[in-house]
Amino acid sequence: MTTLFDHETVRDEFPVTRHMLYLDSAHQTPLATRVRVALDAFYAEGHEMAGPKPIWLRRVEETRTRVAAFLNAEPCEIAFTKNTSEGLNIAANAVPLRAGDNVLLIEGDHPNNAYAWLNLKRKGVEVRFVQLSSDSVIADAETFAPFIDERTKVISLSHVTFHAGQRHDIASIGRLCEEKGIYLVVDAMQSVGVLPVDVKALGVSVLAAGCHKGLLVPQGLGILYVKNGLDEMQPAYVAMSALANPPADYVARPDDLQLRKDAGRFEIGNFNLPDLHALGAAIDLIEEIGVSNVETHVLALGERLIAHLDELEIALVGPRSREARSHIHVLDLPVQPWFDYLTREGVRVSPERGGVRISFAMFNTPADVDRVIEIIRKGIVALRTVPAHAAG
Ligand SMILES: Cc1ncc(COP(=O)(O)O)c(C=O)c1O
């Protein structure tokens, strides 16, 4: 395995690695020391100096610029939200949709994406679920093309799926959407910070993600990209922060409801300032390594894992090929008893609908892969079980 960065230095940033075998970054990130230091510094400022808030707000704008550059967007295309679901709901309620219009989703994709659009059924919007033949198949333009008609207004899907680690071909779907005049809404919760996400290259109209996985900060902060020029997208909720001319005297002006033109029109009230402060430190860490190097690293760990799984005759629920994979691997093992067994052995993974989910991050190493495989090998004997696929 090539050394893309100094694993030991990165590992040192994550004290969790000294306490357990953490293979669950697709669930939530453990905190890096420098992220904690940034949070502590924020709390110390609040504790000792009560802010001051204007300084904190200036940092919000610095972080906005950092996030924009990270996604190859403009700062005016970035809004801060609470999480992915809020971003997806903002999109669902901002796209001008009328009764009889339809939205295409992938069957089995994250439910929070589905519910944001299903909520529009009461307005007469049709939600069409497109089925993939299996969890090892990825979606591309051809997947959606047969379902598009003149009333199709939106395609919305995850970049990387949480339940199988498929990495959908968003760029090809983006080209199709561009050609047909369809909005492309992407849930990048599982990809941003782990794989390069270039909103322009992907042809995305709106992208939503929380920041508590690949972006390394605690829950409660989301990012929302809204492509410049989509002025017809209007917010369902409005606060003073969304206005083009917020009243300096804090008295609402019924005769001036003009909204900002930038993505800030979707922001409501105060921000998650501690997380925004910490996000700058998190992006520093990712950029020191390089997000492409994080991607190459987690894909190589995946290759090593798959080779070992093949020896043990344990199937993968998701795709095997490098282009279709991500940092997420779901092992076709019965969740019970395997989840409990791995927990007892000090391995943190997630139970998934198709098996046991192992997800990698920048701090995982080939030794982590070998260790979990050794534990699984022993488990096969200890649990006197056979891989689920072999049992059938
Ligand atoms: C693909 C995907 N979308 C959305 C979510 C939920 O995100 P949030 O809690 O940020 O709304 C998750 C997992 O937490 C996810 O994996």
Side-chain angles (χ1 to χ4, degrees):
M1 185 162 180
T2 54
T3 306
L4 299 161
F5 51 88
D6 182 357
H7 296 167
E8 284 314 310
T9 309
V10 171
R11 213 165 161 81
D12 275 353
E13 279 274 1
F14 291 89
V16 74
T17 57
R18 297 199 279 275
H19 304 292
M20 67 183 81
L21 180 47
Y22 195 83
L23 303 174
D24 206 14
S25 291
H27 168 57
Q28 67 177 23
T29 184
L31 292 189
T33 300
R34 72 172 76 186
V35 171
R36 181 177 174 172
V37 166
L39 289 166
D40 286 347
F42 175 87
Y43 292 126
E45 281 175 343
H47 196 209
E48 288 150 32
M49 304 301 290
K53 195 170 170 188
I55 292 181
W56 284 344
L57 290 179
R58 218 162 44 233
R59 284 203 209 120
V60 171
E61 296 316 308
E62 284 163 18
T63 305
R64 194 189 305 277
T65 302
R66 302 286 310 278
V67 169
F70 195 66
L71 301 177
N72 191 26
E74 300 296 324
C76 62
E77 296 176 305
I78 302 298
F80 293 115
T81 59
K82 189 170 69 165
N83 52 37
T84 323
S85 307
E86 186 178 31
L88 294 170
N89 273 276
I90 286 172
N93 289 285
V95 172
L97 293 173
R98 287 182 294 127
D101 288 339
N102 66 71
V103 174
L104 306 185
L105 309 179
I106 298 277
E107 174 82 43
D109 203 343
H110 198 283
N112 287 347
N113 189 10
Y115 287 125
W117 303 100
L118 285 169
N119 188 35
L120 301 181
K121 279 178 76 171
R122 62 196 163 89
K123 295 183 181 167
V125 173
E126 184 194 349
V127 177
R128 296 181 179 170
F129 286 100
V130 175
Q131 202 140 21
L132 296 174
S133 55
S134 83
D135 282 341
S136 57
V137 168
I138 61 163
D140 61 13
E142 283 180 30
T143 311
F144 288 103
F147 296 88
I148 293 174
D149 60 26
E150 68 287 352
R151 299 300 301 271
T152 304
K153 298 291 189 274
V154 179
I155 292 177
S156 183
L157 77 166
S158 293
H159 186 186
V160 165
T161 68
F162 74 103
H163 62 89
Q166 297 135 296
R167 176 192 195 146
H168 294 314
D169 182 358
I170 300 295
S172 90
I173 302 166
R175 287 191 292 275
L176 176 72
C177 288
E178 171 79 35
E179 186 193 310
K180 304 269 185 196
I182 293 171
Y183 294 88
L184 175 57
V185 177
V186 171
D187 169 349
M189 176 80 249
Q190 290 293 359
S191 59
V192 74
V194 183
L195 315 174
V197 173
D198 177 331
V199 285
K200 298 286 176 318
L202 295 175
V204 170
S205 318
V206 177
L207 178 137
C211 300
H212 67 276
K213 302 185 199 270
L215 288 179
L216 309 179
V217 301
Q219 281 86 344
L221 176 65
I223 54 176
L224 178 71
Y225 160 81
V226 183
K227 188 179 170 185
N228 250 340
L230 298 180
D231 298 342
E232 71 287 4
M233 285 186 63
Q234 291 295 304
Y237 294 163
V238 171
M240 190 165 130
S241 54
L243 293 183
N245 309 304
D249 59 1
Y250 277 61
V251 178
R253 303 278 193 280
D255 56 344
D256 185 4
L257 295 175
Q258 198 190 330
L259 298 180
R260 293 164 63 147
K261 274 184 75 75
D262 62 15
R265 68 191 184 277
F266 296 109
E267 287 176 345
I268 303 180
N270 276 289
F271 295 105
N272 180 340
L273 291 171
D275 260 11
L276 278 161
H277 183 87
L279 185 58
I283 293 177
D284 282 345
L285 175 56
I286 298 166
E287 288 189 331
E288 273 170 29
I289 296 168
V291 71
S292 301
N293 287 335
V294 175
E295 174 193 30
T296 307
H297 178 66
V298 296
L299 289 175
L301 293 177
E303 250 138 58
R304 191 179 186 98
L305 178 71
I306 292 170
H308 281 308
L309 293 176
D310 287 349
E311 284 162 24
L312 296 178
E313 297 186 24
I314 296 172
L316 205 60
V317 171
R320 292 173 63 93
S321 78
R322 198 178 168 89
E323 319 73 64
R325 269 194 296 117
S326 64
H327 60 309
I328 293 175
H329 305 82
V330 178
L331 281 49
D332 183 11
L333 290 171
V335 169
Q336 290 307 336
W338 279 94
F339 179 69
D340 290 345
Y341 167 72
L342 290 167
T343 305
R344 280 199 304 277
E345 294 293 319
V347 186
R348 190 79 77 82
V349 293
S350 275
E352 265 315 328
R353 60 174 88 126
V356 172
R357 183 178 75 185
I358 286 179
S359 51
F360 296 122
M362 57 171 76
F363 55 81
N364 292 120
T365 59
D368 287 348
V369 177
D370 297 349
R371 211 168 125 209
V372 72
I373 285 295
E374 224 16 72
I375 291 169
I376 292 173
R377 203 188 296 278
K378 284 192 198 131
I380 291 173
V381 178
L383 301 172
R384 291 185 217 293
T385 184
V386 284
H389 73 284

